[in-house]
Amino acid sequence: METINDKIKNIIRHFGFNNFSFSKEIGVTGTTVDSIVNGRPQPDGSRKKTKPGYDVLLSIIETFKINPDYLFGQSDIMLREDTSKIQTYSGMPQVVAVNQSGEENVVYVPIKARAGYLDGYGDTEYIETLPTFHMPHLTNGTYRCFEVHGNSMVRTFFDGDLVFGKYVEDLNDIKDGRVYIIVSKNDGIVLKRTINRIAERGKLILKSDNTDGNYPTYTMNAEDIMEVWYVTMYASKQMPEPVDIYQRLHELESKVVDLEENLQQKLLN
């Protein structure tokens, strides 16, 4: 695994500098850069590389428009401008299902099929093994139905609920604050409320609606994203509590008004 020192060496090579000319660009001495890239000589004849300080890293990032995640081993994309160009899919999903009339079916991905979906989402034969059905009112797009797994979105969705997602054709179309199903290389299939920072940082910020503290907010790199589905509808096994509290409040208010009127009447008499 490349260290941050190796990453800086790659940057120097990418822009065609030597250590001395690179040091001038970022405003430090040639010795500083040399100690980072090649290391300081030790009494035993070895060389020990110096960790770059905050000011050096900031200068490199700002001078050469470097993607910070590249330096810290979170991304293979060196240049910041390239992070907004990364898309692992475009236009439409790799595989869609249709019925005999040529209308698109909704493909259902139950919990037990999640692991297989990560490898088979682009495989026609695999998609054909999943249940499909037609929903007449889900038109103007391609839809998937995913079974909710876990409690990270409790308050909005519960374990076992079914969420229907419309395929997002462009990562830049993701809207802040909406809920999406995201299929990624590292995190699998997740259901999260999303903040879009693709253009600025090449990332999505993913938040849970469950605020009990066990589901921290985290980021996902654009290059790790395989599919995104915007949740437009859901079906829940959770039956809501009876909504009769408002009726009871109305009845209580009426009784209070009656009591006040009776009391005023008695005082007048």
Side-chain angles (χ1 to χ4, degrees):
M1 181 177 177
E2 288 186 319
T3 66
I4 195 168
N5 305 71
D6 296 326
K7 299 281 189 177
I8 293 174
K9 187 174 183 178
N10 293 341
I11 293 170
I12 295 172
R13 186 186 302 117
H14 175 82
F15 286 97
F17 289 105
N18 58 35
N19 291 352
F20 179 76
S21 58
F22 183 78
S23 70
K24 296 301 181 183
E25 292 290 328
I26 63 174
V28 299
T29 65
T31 302
T32 298
V33 172
D34 192 63
S35 67
I36 292 171
V37 174
N38 298 319
R40 293 182 181 275
Q42 302 297 303
D44 62 0
S46 64
R47 299 182 75 92
K48 182 178 181 180
K49 293 182 179 180
T50 304
K51 292 295 183 183
Y54 172 80
D55 291 340
V56 172
L57 292 174
L58 183 62
S59 183
I60 292 172
I61 290 169
E62 293 302 320
T63 301
F64 296 100
K65 310 301 180 188
I66 299 299
N67 174 20
D69 287 336
Y70 172 76
L71 281 171
F72 297 106
Q74 301 299 312
S75 173
D76 294 327
I77 309 302
M78 179 188 292
L79 303 180
R80 191 186 305 164
E81 64 180 12
D82 290 339
T83 60
S84 62
K85 299 175 183 177
I86 298 300
Q87 292 223 5
T88 55
Y89 64 93
S90 61
M92 292 294 291
Q94 295 187 31
V95 180
V96 298
V98 297
N99 59 22
Q100 293 180 345
S101 302
E103 300 169 314
E104 283 196 27
N105 277 342
V106 176
V107 176
Y108 171 47
V109 185
I111 290 174
K112 63 181 181 181
R114 279 173 168 250
Y117 187 85
L118 294 179
D119 294 324
Y121 73 97
D123 183 348
T124 301
E125 291 185 1
Y126 173 77
I127 294 297
E128 289 177 348
T129 68
L130 298 176
T132 62
F133 52 90
H134 183 59
M135 299 280 284
H137 59 291
L138 293 182
T139 57
N140 300 321
T142 297
Y143 291 83
R144 289 274 192 278
C145 175
F146 294 84
E147 186 175 2
V148 176
H149 180 53
N151 299 308
S152 69
M153 292 298 285
V154 164
R155 289 178 57 190
T156 310
F157 306 104
F158 294 84
D159 188 60
D161 285 356
L162 304 180
V163 289
F164 294 79
K166 180 180 179 181
Y167 186 77
V168 176
E169 298 182 1
D170 189 319
L171 296 181
N172 292 307
D173 291 337
I174 295 172
K175 306 298 183 185
D176 289 353
R178 293 183 179 179
V179 177
Y180 293 85
I181 305 142
I182 302 168
V183 183
S184 74
K185 299 174 185 176
N186 297 323
D187 297 307
I189 300 172
V190 297
L191 176 70
K192 296 294 179 183
R193 200 167 295 279
T194 304
I195 306 297
N196 189 347
R197 294 296 178 266
I198 295 293
E200 300 93 333
R201 298 170 51 199
K203 293 177 178 292
L204 295 179
I205 300 173
L206 305 181
K207 305 176 66 175
S208 300
D209 283 358
N210 190 336
T211 57
D212 68 0
N214 294 324
Y215 304 98
T217 298
Y218 64 97
T219 62
M220 182 180 292
N221 293 325
E223 59 263 32
D224 293 332
I225 299 169
M226 298 186 294
E227 291 182 341
V228 179
W229 304 84
Y230 167 47
V231 175
T232 60
M233 185 177 75
Y234 75 101
S236 179
K237 300 175 184 178
Q238 303 290 324
M239 296 300 294
E241 295 295 325
V243 193
D244 62 350
I245 187 169
Y246 296 107
Q247 181 64 33
R248 293 181 182 181
L249 284 173
H250 288 317
E251 292 176 358
L252 182 59
E253 286 176 344
S254 298
K255 289 180 180 179
V256 169
V257 171
D258 288 339
L259 286 172
E260 289 178 343
E261 289 182 350
N262 289 335
L263 181 59
Q264 289 179 353
Q265 192 68 31
K266 288 181 180 180
L267 291 175
L268 290 174
N269 293 335

